[in-house]
Amino acid sequence: MSPPGCPGLVSPRCLAAAAPAGTRLTHPGKAILAGGLAGGIEICITFPTEYVKTQLQLDERANPPRYRGIMDCVRQTVQGHGVKGLYRGLSSLLYGSIPKAAVRFGMFEFLSNQVRDGQGRLSNTQSVLCGLGAGVFEAVVVVCPMETVKVKFIHDQSSAKPRYRGFFHGVREIIRDQGLRGTYQGLTATVLKQGSNQAIRFFVMTSLKNWYKGDNAGKQIHPLITGLFGATAGAASVFGNTPLDVIKTRMQGLEAHKYKSTWDCAYKIMKYEGPIAFYKGTVPRLGRVCLDVAIVFIIYEEVVKLLNKVWKTD
């Protein structure tokens, strides 16, 4: 039965009122604030690995290939542009990471608050569906346009004569040349990637948290344990959808015109480069994503705890 003034399980306030003492549902507003802060801090720490991953994926088979591996990519970048070269394109990703994480956690908490049981728990199936919904929403609203700009910017900066002078100049040039549609290249691949990404991550994270808490839904989780769970969730998502990440990167690069569609891109990669090409950049991505997800979840959970003390929504 719904609490007084709550005709159904619609708002976080009503849901919190229905939950037993000792449990707390996260208000979407807190999730947006905590998620944005976590996303901004995380990307500043892990961007060099994102840069290397993108360079390796864009380094299609050539005669000969430009890079011989991860360390060679780092070496050439530092020799040519200094250590700061590993941070080229950071601004475009930073501008996207903050709203991306904010939208992702905000939508996840909004959706999950509608379906949690009386103890505030999510089932495995519910966590997959809520994660999928959050991933699809962030893909359409934030990820696709921001990732397209990021990939084009990094690709441009690695060329002999870079065209874009900065993030906003790059956005202006892309829209002038290709219209708004130019920032939505690879939308299908991005939706598939982000949807599966967050479905896997929130499923693993929720399953591990439920296992750790056992019958005590109010049990606190140490930040290091949260980080370990987050790294596990990140690793699972890497092995689950790296092929989609490769396709998305190709579709958003400066040579995206070579592909008629997402499916044509996948077909040509398989035909001309073989199945192993779908896992190009897996090692640098694995290291980045595990650290990424661990950091994000630690910061997110700790900021939410702080907000619960100063922002009363129950």
Side-chain angles (χ1 to χ4, degrees), residues 16-232:
T23 65
R24 183 190 295 272
L25 298 176
T26 302
H27 189 283
K30 295 178 182 178
I32 291 173
L33 184 57
L37 182 59
I41 295 174
E42 172 275 319
I43 201 59
C44 289
I45 296 173
T46 64
F47 184 79
T49 55
E50 171 68 13
Y51 178 86
V52 172
K53 181 212 71 170
T54 302
Q55 288 284 26
L56 290 177
Q57 288 182 347
L58 291 173
D59 185 31
E60 299 181 30
R61 288 186 175 180
N63 291 312
R66 181 177 181 181
Y67 304 118
R68 294 192 299 273
I70 298 171
M71 296 310 298
D72 185 54
C73 179
V74 173
R75 182 181 61 80
Q76 289 192 41
T77 300
V78 173
Q79 285 182 347
H81 305 279
V83 175
K84 67 179 182 180
L86 293 172
Y87 284 89
R88 290 185 297 171
L90 173 62
S91 60
S92 62
L93 200 57
L94 185 61
Y95 297 146
S97 293
I98 294 175
K100 179 171 70 173
V103 168
R104 177 197 314 150
F105 281 102
M107 180 55 66
F108 179 78
E109 295 296 353
F110 172 78
L111 294 175
S112 65
N113 284 348
Q114 316 305 314
V115 296
R116 291 181 186 275
D117 64 18
Q119 290 187 318
R121 291 177 180 271
L122 276 180
S123 69
N124 292 341
T125 300
Q126 290 170 338
S127 66
V128 169
L129 294 177
C130 291
L132 178 63
V136 170
F137 190 75
E138 72 166 328
V140 175
V141 175
V142 181
V143 179
C144 189
M146 297 306 298
E147 285 283 296
T148 300
V149 172
K150 181 208 74 174
V151 173
K152 288 182 183 295
F153 189 83
I154 291 178
H155 203 172
D156 174 74
Q157 294 300 299
S158 64
S159 63
K161 296 181 179 180
R163 179 184 176 190
Y164 307 141
R165 296 193 297 270
F167 173 75
F168 292 108
H169 179 255
V171 172
R172 186 169 64 251
E173 290 298 305
I174 291 171
I175 293 178
R176 187 173 69 176
D177 294 345
Q178 304 172 34
L180 190 60
R181 182 180 180 182
T183 63
Y184 270 91
Q185 291 178 326
L187 177 60
T188 300
T190 303
V191 167
L192 290 173
K193 182 215 169 187
Q194 290 303 122
S196 61
N197 229 4
Q198 303 314 325
I200 293 171
R201 290 179 187 177
F202 280 109
F203 164 74
V204 173
M205 196 69 187
T206 299
S207 298
L208 291 174
K209 288 169 70 175
N210 286 343
W211 165 77
Y212 183 81
K213 290 183 177 182
D215 296 329
N216 182 7
K219 183 178 181 180
Q220 294 296 308
I221 302 179
H222 190 279
L224 291 180
I225 300 297
T226 297
L228 178 61
F229 289 170
T232 302

